[in-house]
Amino acid sequence: MNFVFSPTPVVSVPVLGQDERFPVHRIYCVGRNYEEHAKEMGFTGREPPFFFLKPADSLVVVESGQTGVMPYPTLTKNLHHEIELVVAIGKGGRNISAADAAQHIYGYAVGLDMTRRDLQNEMKKQGRPWCIGKAFDHSAPIGPITPIAQAGDVNNAEISLQVNGADRQRSNVAKLIWNVAETIEHLSAAWELQPGDLIYTGTPEGVAAVVAGDVLVGQVPGLESLEIAIS
Ligand code: MN
């Protein structure tokens, strides 16, 4: 088949210990999924999970052992970090039950849901979509995917982010309001999941601003860490 111009290449993420890469389909994100983060954003109580998306080509893919580079985005004066466990879907489906969810998971990675907080807050105030605050270019740094069989017990793992060597976020994945399996159940009721989908599962408390020159290190023991510099 010929195209009127060259199609955008498939975005892919490296897989720990393999030459084959994980081709990305969509990026789903869960909002306010840790209680202490919901509180710091001004919300309390368990609400049904809600979702937003980022374009696949908003990923900043960081290869194993490398430090990635994220350019400081336009339009914002308040770029926030959100460290998140990312679920990589290997087998699609709709109406997947939480009990069956593990069969659909290819692996896990450490990711950052970078947020132009000032723009997101303005959109919230106006009741408008969050896209400009959440789904901008380079807004989704991600490290290599660890296949589920090689990953540790990520559902009970510490999740942390350091900026320039100092702790900013530290919690445990066990504190997710909607855990990974429940998230897959809710998400697959709304969209048909496809192999290649990534799910950013939400961030714990401690979100704050970064500036050009900062170096961010995100860690979930049992997974490859993510290191990225803001330029
Ligand atoms: Mn987030």
Side-chain angles (χ1 to χ4, degrees), residues 57-175:
D57 65 357
S58 68
L59 286 174
V60 179
V61 177
V62 182
E63 304 296 321
S64 184
Q66 304 280 303
T67 301
V69 177
M70 176 190 174
Y72 195 92
T74 59
L75 301 181
T76 186
K77 292 184 169 59
N78 196 17
L79 175 66
H80 271 201
H81 53 74
E82 295 191 358
I83 189 68
E84 309 204 358
L85 172 70
V86 181
V87 180
I89 296 294
K91 181 181 153 202
R94 54 162 60 108
N95 296 318
I96 299 164
S97 70
D100 293 337
Q103 301 169 33
H104 296 261
I105 298 172
Y106 178 82
Y108 298 97
V110 178
L112 280 160
D113 167 16
M114 299 303 289
T115 303
R116 294 195 280 208
R117 192 72 74 198
D118 41 1
L119 300 185
Q120 184 202 23
N121 287 342
E122 187 59 30
M123 292 302 109
K124 277 186 189 174
K125 207 186 304 173
Q126 297 184 30
R128 291 181 178 172
W130 290 5
C131 308
I132 201 168
K134 284 289 196 182
F136 54 94
D137 295 343
H138 315 294
S139 62
I142 190 169
I145 292 170
T146 301
I148 191 166
Q150 293 157 253
D153 180 14
V154 295
N155 290 295
N156 293 289
E158 200 165 62
I159 181 167
S160 66
L161 180 77
Q162 296 190 316
V163 178
N164 305 328
D167 257 24
R168 285 277 187 93
Q169 295 186 267
R170 186 170 292 274
S171 185
N172 194 293
V173 176
K175 293 184 177 175

Side-chain angles (χ1 to χ4, degrees), residues 3 15 28 66 113 125 127 136 140 170 183 197 225:
F3 298 99
V15 176
Y28 296 99
Q66 304 280 303
D113 167 16
K125 207 186 304 173
F136 54 94
R170 186 170 292 274
T183 294
D197 286 338
S225 58

Side-chain angles (χ1 to χ4, degrees), residues 29-32 37 52 82 84 113 115 134 200-203:
C29 304
V30 188
R32 294 195 291 265
H37 172 63
F52 57 92
E82 295 191 358
E84 309 204 358
D113 167 16
T115 303
K134 284 289 196 182
Y200 280 61
T201 55
T203 196

Side-chain angles (χ1 to χ4, degrees), residues 9-14 20-24 56 59 61-63 142 145:
V10 171
V11 178
S12 66
V13 181
E20 290 84 4
R21 297 173 69 91
F22 181 92
V24 178
L59 286 174
V61 177
V62 182
E63 304 296 321
I142 190 169
I145 292 170

